[in-house]
Amino acid sequence: FENAVKSITKDERYKFGDLTKGTINKVKTTTGSVMTYSEKTLSLMREANIHEFVELLNYFWNNNMNYEERKEAFAVLVYLGAIIVLSYSFIANLMSGMVFAGAWTKVALMTGKSPTASGILWTQFLQTKASLDMIFGGPFLPARVAATIPWFFQYRKFVVGLAYLNPMREKYPILNRCVSLLTAWVFANLALVGGTTYALVYIGSLRTGVPMFPIS
């Protein structure tokens, strides 16, 4: 690794850890220490391997943060991690809803009846859905991940917006974050995805002429 960094930096004196320690400038301010990075530093970080990045985080964690700052930083990391998980879950569930609607429409076209009309038709629907899941499940994982990346930023704005609307954000910040995550899940991952799935099935019903539910 040292040889790789030497070739990048043209510095034969480089030793492991120099990237972390030598490129960080601590600027004293009235509020504490501020870590500043030059453009060269950021460029080297992009080229360096993960161990150098971990050492950088460790340096910042141990030398520039007190207990309260560490606790807040940990809470923020967990908060962002939860938002990432919920963002991916939204995309995955939305695609599952599309598969559900596609299977419903296919069975309705083949039989001329709603999959809910009988147990046999419902079994056929489940088999059709399982077949579509094999096609659009695992093989489409990269597509779901790619869609999650831009969606994450919008989802984060939504969650943070909900957190700011809550009057208890100052007194109970951790609880407020949990409530904002739960609220976002209910509205986006549950209600919006469920509504979108219903709308797609309804569109399939209109196109096939088969009612969503059997008429007695």
Side-chain angles (χ1 to χ4, degrees):
F1 175 71
E2 289 181 358
N3 291 333
V5 175
K6 286 177 182 178
S7 65
I8 295 170
T9 62
K10 307 302 182 182
D11 183 3
E12 293 297 326
R13 296 173 299 174
Y14 173 83
K15 297 296 181 182
F16 183 82
D18 288 350
L19 178 62
T20 300
K21 299 173 184 176
T23 57
I24 298 176
N25 298 317
K26 297 177 65 178
V27 179
K28 296 296 183 179
T29 66
T30 56
T31 58
S33 298
V34 178
M35 300 182 70
T36 60
Y37 304 90
S38 65
E39 186 62 30
K40 181 180 179 182
T41 303
L42 297 176
S43 176
L44 291 176
M45 285 175 63
R46 286 192 290 267
E47 298 292 340
N49 104 0
I50 188 63
H51 302 295
E52 201 60 68
F53 179 67
V54 170
E55 187 166 329
L56 175 64
L57 293 178
N58 183 60
Y59 180 86
F60 181 70
W61 184 270
N62 291 323
N63 294 277
N64 292 271
M65 301 178 73
N66 57 35
Y67 172 75
E68 290 299 325
E69 290 171 336
R70 291 192 190 107
K71 185 171 70 172
E72 178 64 18
F74 179 76
V76 169
L77 289 175
V78 172
Y79 193 51
L80 289 177
I83 294 175
I84 292 173
V85 171
L86 290 179
S87 300
Y88 175 79
S89 175
F90 176 89
I91 297 297
N93 291 342
L94 189 62
M95 289 187 174
S96 294
M98 295 169 64
V99 169
F100 184 97
W104 192 99
T105 303
K106 184 176 181 180
V107 172
L109 281 173
M110 291 189 303
T111 63
K113 296 180 181 180
S114 169
T116 59
S118 68
I120 295 177
L121 290 175
W122 184 252
T123 300
Q124 185 177 352
F125 162 75
L126 293 178
Q127 292 173 345
T128 303
K129 182 177 180 300
S131 299
L132 291 177
D133 280 332
M134 292 180 62
I135 299 173
F136 296 102
F140 271 68
L141 177 60
R144 291 195 293 273
V145 172
T148 300
I149 296 173
W151 173 242
F152 161 77
F153 298 100
Q154 300 303 319
Y155 199 99
R156 178 184 173 275
K157 288 181 181 179
F158 177 57
V159 174
V160 172
L162 291 173
Y164 271 100
L165 291 175
N166 198 323
M168 68 177 184
R169 68 178 184 273
E170 297 293 340
K171 191 173 183 180
Y172 304 104
I174 301 299
L175 179 60
N176 180 46
R177 286 167 177 164
C178 294
V179 171
S180 66
L181 289 170
L182 179 60
T183 305
W185 176 79
V186 170
F187 278 99
N189 296 49
L190 192 62
L192 183 57
V193 171
T196 301
T197 302
Y198 180 88
L200 291 174
V201 172
Y202 182 74
I203 293 172
S205 174
L206 294 178
R207 295 191 63 181
T208 60
V210 176
M212 294 177 62
F213 304 100
I215 301 175
S216 56

